[in-house]
Amino acid sequence: LLVALINESILEKNQARLEADRMEREMKRKQLQQKCRELFDSLDVRGNRVLPRSELQRVTAQLAAVFQSLGVNFHRKGLEQIFYV
């Protein structure tokens, strides 16, 4: 009985930790989405929701700074490659 209670307690703590991790990822995703939206909107001077690739490439450093500020793991080379997909 004691082993069963300990196992149940461990499972509950693990589930709580997983849920907390999920919520943190979701919060970080929303923050990243907002920061990217703000950056995009600052570049979209025509207001047509379209930006040329060259305009986006120009702000790669700013985009990298946004990722770093939110603790997003990425490779700079990978970030530069997204413009050639």
Side-chain angles (χ1 to χ4, degrees):
L1 182 62
L2 182 59
V3 172
L5 290 174
I6 292 172
N7 281 341
E8 185 176 334
S9 175
I10 290 171
L11 287 173
E12 287 174 357
K13 286 180 183 178
N14 190 40
Q15 286 176 335
R17 185 179 52 79
L18 289 173
E19 180 63 16
D21 289 348
R22 185 194 66 76
M23 291 178 72
E24 184 178 339
R25 282 191 313 272
E26 180 65 17
M27 182 182 69
K28 193 179 286 188
R29 185 192 65 78
K30 286 181 180 181
Q31 289 174 334
L32 179 61
Q33 184 180 24
Q34 180 62 33
K35 296 274 188 184
C36 288
R37 182 180 296 120
E38 290 169 3
L39 180 59
F40 184 92
D41 288 345
S42 72
L43 298 170
D44 186 22
V45 293
R46 293 187 187 107
N48 62 357
R49 310 303 294 165
V50 176
L51 291 175
R53 180 182 302 171
S54 60
E55 189 71 19
L56 289 171
Q57 286 174 313
R58 190 174 61 79
V59 295
T60 302
Q62 288 174 275
L63 191 55
V66 168
F67 286 179
Q68 289 173 339
S69 73
L70 294 172
V72 175
N73 293 324
F74 71 100
H75 294 283
R76 181 68 183 231
K77 192 85 164 162
L79 183 59
E80 293 167 357
Q81 291 297 316
I82 65 171
F83 300 111
Y84 300 102
V85 174

